[in-house]
């Protein structure tokens, strides 16, 4: 009995199961949502009153397609919650994020009901929509700005009428890239706030610092509006720009000077017409190095105030001291303008020069002499022709030591006015007495000129010599290489002609002059090669150049015309 009852219950259960599996579907009372793809980040979700752009496939429960935005090649664009959609879709879109994908099942009463929709949707149809949300915005939306990097130093920010250079990536709200300055490998250059940009970008870049990075999001009303741009930007699209500012200036800007270092003493400041030598690093505002004198291992040498350099540098180098370091910021209209240089310097670029002034002079400069020690007894002063011995330390204006006699353990010995040293040193050594100490500053046109000395003295360098006069031997009167200290023998030629053969040969002449010097009766010009002086004296007397002097050829200095330098 129990077994029969159990069998009847089992058969009844199987019958119920069979009927349930083959029963017609129960009508839906509400929409059913399956979230098939959810983005990692959801900055904003759809609310009633928002405008959305989305793609969809529309199918019946059996999978048959009745509509698709993909087939039309454009998104479906509509306000949510304003009865512009069927009730079920209006409800299904609420809470969706951009890039979220939902499978939505909508009952007939929340779709096209008992009437259906023409020949496309039969009466009482359940509709399935596979929806991908691409964009959300609201008529109340403004530009949204998110700064994700800002430099520590921000001395100036973008204002209306500024000219800016920036890089950007432009995407739709779903991340689709529609444009990028990076792919064109050049910045976007424009004025701000005067209508050269779309309204959202005009607003979005205001207040940016050079080097700042921002995400600027704007609704279509501040972008490309209902029609888009006709190619990559669809109508009614929100736009997202990832912007990095590289440069900004205003057409009214002049140069900006920042003194990085000023020496304690500054005897002179540069002026128009000076010739200056300086080192520099030249960078763009984003720090990109475009040129450096240091990399060439030589200064940049130029006149200032005469148009030899860009206008901004011409101005920026005025009023500097030797040894001063300053930063000169130059707007493009005082630099390389809208065209740039075509290589390292882009068009409309602000330039920053960090300069280090090595020296400067003026072509009208003469030698500067500063005596910092003079002995109490200073009667005999150096003059042209004197043989002087002195020690020196030679340096450039920035203090770089280039030479010193102390390194060699001996003095430097020259005859003043004989061309044995540069003209500026000849001038600086005059009117000194033994023991005197001076600083002599020599401009390049009185020193080593534009070429300098290879490996030792740079071209166009001002030189500074610290000099100490160690010894001084008075020279001979101008034009003389030998003088008599005593009365001249009446028969001078006979005294020279030792062998009495009627002529004086080079050996007789040499021996005679050396004897007069040794006995103090005569004196040779100091500081010159004795042999060369005597050879020159002999040649001047040997008028027919036959290697001997006759009595007819022999004449004393006083008997000569001014063209000859004789005994």
């Amino acid at each position: 009995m129990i077994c029969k009852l159990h069998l009847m219950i089992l058969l009844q259960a199987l019958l119920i199961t069979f009927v349930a599996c083959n029963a017609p579907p129960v009508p839906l009372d509400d929409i059913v949502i399956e979230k098939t793809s959810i983005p990692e980040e959801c900055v904003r979700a759809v609310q009633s009153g928002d405008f959305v752009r989305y793609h969809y496939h529309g199918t019946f429960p059996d999978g048959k397609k009745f509509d698709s935005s993909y087939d039309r090649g454009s998104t479906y664009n509509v306000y949510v919650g304003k009865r512009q959609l069927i009730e079920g879709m209006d409800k299904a879109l609420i809470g969706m994020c951009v890039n979220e994908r939902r499978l939505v099942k909508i009952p007939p009463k929340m779709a096209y009901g008992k009437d259906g929709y023409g020949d496309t949707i039969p009466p009482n149809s359940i509709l399935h929509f596979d929806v991908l949300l691409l964009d959300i915005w609201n008529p109340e939306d403004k530009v949204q700005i998110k700064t994700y990097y800002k430099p520590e130093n921000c001395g100036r920010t973008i204002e209306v009428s500024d000219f800016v250079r920036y890089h950007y990536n432009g995407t739709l709200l779903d991340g689709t890239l529609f444009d990028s300055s990076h792919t064109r490998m050049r910045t976007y250059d424009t004025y701000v706030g005067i209508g050269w940009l779309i309204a959202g970008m005009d607003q979005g870049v205001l207040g940016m610092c050079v080097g700042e990075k921002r995400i600027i999001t704007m609704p279509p009303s501040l972008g490309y509006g209902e029609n888009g741009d006709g190619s990559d930007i669809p109508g009614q699209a929100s736009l997202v720009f990832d912007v990095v500012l590289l440069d900004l200036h205003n057409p009214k800007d002049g140069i900006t000077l920042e003194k990085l270092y000023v020496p304690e003493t500054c005897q002179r400041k540069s002026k128009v017409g000076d010739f200056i030598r300086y080192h520099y690093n030249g960078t763009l505002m984003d720090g990109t190095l475009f040129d450096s004198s240091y990399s060439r291992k030589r200064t940049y040498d130029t006149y200032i105030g005469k148009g030899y350099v860009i206008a901004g540098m011409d101005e920026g180098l005025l009023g500097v001291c030797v040894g001063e370091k300053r930063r000169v910021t130059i707007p493009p209209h005082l630099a390389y303008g809208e065209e740039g240089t075509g290589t390292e310097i882009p068009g409309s670029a602000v330039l920053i020069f960090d300069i280090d002034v090595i020296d400067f002079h003026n072509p009208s400069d003469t030698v500067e002499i500063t005596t910092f020690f003079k002995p109490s007894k200073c009667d005999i002063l150096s003059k042209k022709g004197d043989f002087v011995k002195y020690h020196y330390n030679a340096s450039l204006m920035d203090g770089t030591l280039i030479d010193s006699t102390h390194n060699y353990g001996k003095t430097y010995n020259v005859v003043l006015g004989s061309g044995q040293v540069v003209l500026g040193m000849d001038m600086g050594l005059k009117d000194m007495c033994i023991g005197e100490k001076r600083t002599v500053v020599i401009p390049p046109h009185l020193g080593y000129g534009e070429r300098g000395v290879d490996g030792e003295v740079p071209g166009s360098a001002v030189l500074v010599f610290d000099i100490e006069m160690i010894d001084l031997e008075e020279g001979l009167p101008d034009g003389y290489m030998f003088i008599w200290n005593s009365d001249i023998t009446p028969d001078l030629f006979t005294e020279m002609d030792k062998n009495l053969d009627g002529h004086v040969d080079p050996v007789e002449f040499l021996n005679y002059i050396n004897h007069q010097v040794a006995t103090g009766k005569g004196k040779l010009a100091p500081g010159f090669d004795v042999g060369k002086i005597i050879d020159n004296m002999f040649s001047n007397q040997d008028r027919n150049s036959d290697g001997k002097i006759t009595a007819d050829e022999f004449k004393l200095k006083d008997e000569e015309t001014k063209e000859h330098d004789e005994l």
Side-chain angles (χ1 to χ4, degrees):
M1 187 70 177
I2 294 176
C3 290
K4 284 185 178 181
L5 179 61
H6 179 73
L7 180 60
M8 289 177 64
I9 294 173
L10 181 60
L11 290 172
Q12 186 177 12
L14 289 173
L15 180 61
I16 293 172
T17 302
F18 176 79
V19 171
C21 291
N22 291 275
V26 177
L28 297 174
D29 292 327
D30 201 352
I31 63 171
V32 175
I33 296 174
E34 179 185 351
K35 297 181 179 182
T36 57
S37 178
I38 300 174
E40 292 183 3
E41 184 179 9
C42 182
V43 177
R44 175 176 182 175
V46 177
Q47 298 179 19
S48 181
D50 284 344
F51 191 92
V52 296
R53 293 190 312 109
Y54 62 92
H55 267 306
Y56 70 90
H57 284 301
T59 63
F60 297 115
D62 62 0
K64 182 181 178 181
K65 181 170 65 175
F66 63 82
D67 193 14
S68 174
S69 63
Y70 296 97
D71 294 343
R72 294 191 296 273
S74 65
T75 55
Y76 195 77
N77 308 334
V78 69
Y79 282 99
V80 177
K82 293 190 175 183
R83 298 181 179 274
Q84 295 181 2
L85 292 163
I86 58 175
E87 182 184 355
M89 187 60 78
D90 243 350
K91 186 175 181 180
L93 291 171
I94 296 295
M96 281 193 80
C97 306
V98 170
N99 287 326
E100 182 178 340
R101 189 171 180 179
R102 289 182 175 183
L103 182 59
V104 182
K105 299 176 183 180
I106 303 177
K109 69 177 183 177
M110 301 182 73
Y112 294 97
K114 62 181 180 180
D115 296 326
Y117 186 78
D119 297 331
T120 305
I121 299 175
N124 297 314
S125 294
I126 296 174
L127 304 181
H128 291 187
F129 288 91
D130 187 349
V131 180
L132 175 62
L133 186 66
L134 301 181
D135 199 345
I136 314 169
W137 56 269
N138 192 282
E140 301 298 322
D141 284 351
K142 307 296 182 183
V143 171
Q144 299 175 40
I145 297 171
K146 178 183 178 182
T147 297
Y148 63 95
Y149 174 76
K150 192 167 188 175
E152 293 182 3
N153 298 318
C154 181
R156 176 175 179 178
T157 61
I158 297 177
E159 299 177 359
V160 171
S161 81
D162 281 345
F163 191 90
V164 297
R165 295 192 311 113
Y166 61 89
H167 269 304
Y168 70 90
N169 287 321
T171 63
L172 304 180
L173 208 60
D174 66 343
T176 301
L177 183 71
F178 62 80
D179 193 16
S180 174
S181 63
H182 299 280
T183 59
R184 294 192 297 274
M185 292 186 290
R186 62 167 298 170
T187 55
Y188 193 80
D189 309 337
T190 186
Y191 286 96
V192 175
I194 62 173
W196 284 31
L197 288 164
I198 55 175
M201 187 62 82
D202 249 349
Q203 297 175 29
V205 298
L206 289 175
M208 286 189 77
C209 309
V210 171
E212 184 175 339
K213 298 179 181 180
R214 282 184 177 182
I215 303 293
I216 301 171
T217 306
M218 63 194 71
S221 61
L222 298 175
Y224 288 91
E226 295 183 5
N227 299 320
D229 70 346
S231 56
D232 300 308
I233 300 175
Q236 301 288 24
S238 301
L239 304 180
V240 181
F241 290 91
D242 189 342
V243 178
V244 54
L245 182 64
L246 301 185
D247 198 340
L248 80 119
H249 74 277
N250 194 282
K252 297 179 181 179
D253 288 347
I255 66 169
T256 302
L257 299 178
E258 180 183 355
K259 295 184 178 181
L260 305 178
Y261 171 76
V262 179
E264 293 183 3
T265 59
C266 180
Q267 297 179 350
R268 174 178 170 183
K269 293 185 177 182
S270 61
K271 61 182 185 298
V272 171
D274 283 345
F275 190 89
I276 191 167
R277 297 194 313 115
Y278 62 96
H279 271 303
Y280 70 88
N281 285 320
T283 62
L284 306 180
M285 287 196 78
D286 65 349
T288 301
L289 182 72
F290 62 81
D291 193 16
S292 174
S293 63
Y294 297 99
S295 63
R296 294 189 295 272
K297 298 181 180 178
R298 60 165 298 171
T299 55
Y300 192 82
D301 310 336
T302 187
Y303 288 96
I304 55 176
K306 291 189 171 185
Y308 284 71
V309 291
I310 56 176
M313 187 60 82
D314 243 354
E315 183 181 350
L317 289 170
L318 293 175
V320 296
C321 306
V322 170
E324 183 174 339
K325 298 180 180 180
R326 61 169 55 173
R327 178 168 293 156
V328 184
T329 303
I330 305 175
H333 55 274
L334 297 176
Y336 292 95
E338 295 181 6
E339 300 300 322
T341 61
T343 52
E344 289 84 2
I345 300 176
S348 300
V350 176
L351 306 182
I352 300 175
F353 290 90
D354 283 341
I355 65 172
D356 183 1
V357 179
I358 304 302
D359 73 23
F360 59 85
H361 72 280
N362 195 281
S364 63
D365 287 348
T366 186
V367 172
E368 296 180 16
I369 299 173
T370 304
T371 297
F372 56 90
F373 175 76
K374 182 177 283 192
S376 55
K377 185 178 180 181
C378 187
D379 301 326
I380 300 175
L381 301 179
S382 58
K383 63 184 182 305
K384 182 180 180 181
D386 287 351
F387 184 56
V388 297
K389 300 180 179 181
Y390 61 96
H391 272 302
Y392 69 81
N393 290 319
S395 61
L396 304 178
M397 288 286 280
D398 64 351
T400 301
L401 185 67
I402 56 176
D403 196 15
S404 175
T405 55
H406 298 284
N407 293 337
Y408 312 122
K410 60 180 181 180
T411 57
Y412 198 78
N413 310 327
V414 299
V415 178
L416 291 184
S418 64
Q420 295 178 359
V421 289
V422 295
L423 181 58
M425 182 59 81
D426 250 344
M427 299 166 65
L429 287 168
K430 287 181 180 178
D431 298 321
M432 286 189 78
C433 58
I434 294 174
E436 184 175 343
K437 298 179 181 180
R438 288 180 173 180
T439 296
V440 179
V441 180
I442 303 175
H445 53 274
L446 298 175
Y448 291 97
E450 294 182 8
R451 300 186 64 179
V453 179
D454 190 32
E456 297 181 42
V457 180
S460 300
V462 178
L463 303 179
V464 181
F465 287 88
D466 286 330
I467 300 170
E468 180 182 5
M469 184 71 75
I470 302 300
D471 200 0
L472 164 63
E473 183 179 348
E474 288 192 75
L476 302 187
D478 194 18
Y480 286 81
M481 297 300 288
F482 175 85
I483 62 171
W484 296 95
N485 292 330
S486 60
D487 294 336
I488 303 172
T489 302
D491 196 3
L492 183 58
F493 181 80
T494 303
E495 281 193 16
M496 288 186 183
D497 184 14
K498 291 294 185 181
N499 60 8
L500 302 176
D501 61 357
H503 64 265
V504 177
D505 62 29
V507 174
E508 288 176 320
F509 190 85
L510 175 64
N511 290 338
Y512 183 80
I513 296 298
N514 279 335
H515 179 71
Q516 303 309 305
V517 173
T519 58
K521 295 180 180 180
K523 181 179 180 181
L524 290 167
F528 295 99
D529 184 281
V530 171
K532 290 182 178 180
I533 293 177
I534 297 175
D535 284 345
N536 185 56
M537 293 170 64
F538 181 87
S539 297
N540 288 339
Q541 295 291 337
D542 182 16
R543 301 173 195 282
N544 60 7
S545 302
D546 62 354
K548 55 188 177 182
I549 304 171
T550 64
D552 291 337
E553 292 175 312
F554 186 78
K555 287 183 174 61
L556 294 175
K557 179 78 171 176
D558 294 342
E559 300 169 339
E560 284 291 344
T561 61
K562 292 183 179 180
E563 285 78 13
H564 294 280
D565 185 6
E566 312 290 350
L567 286 169

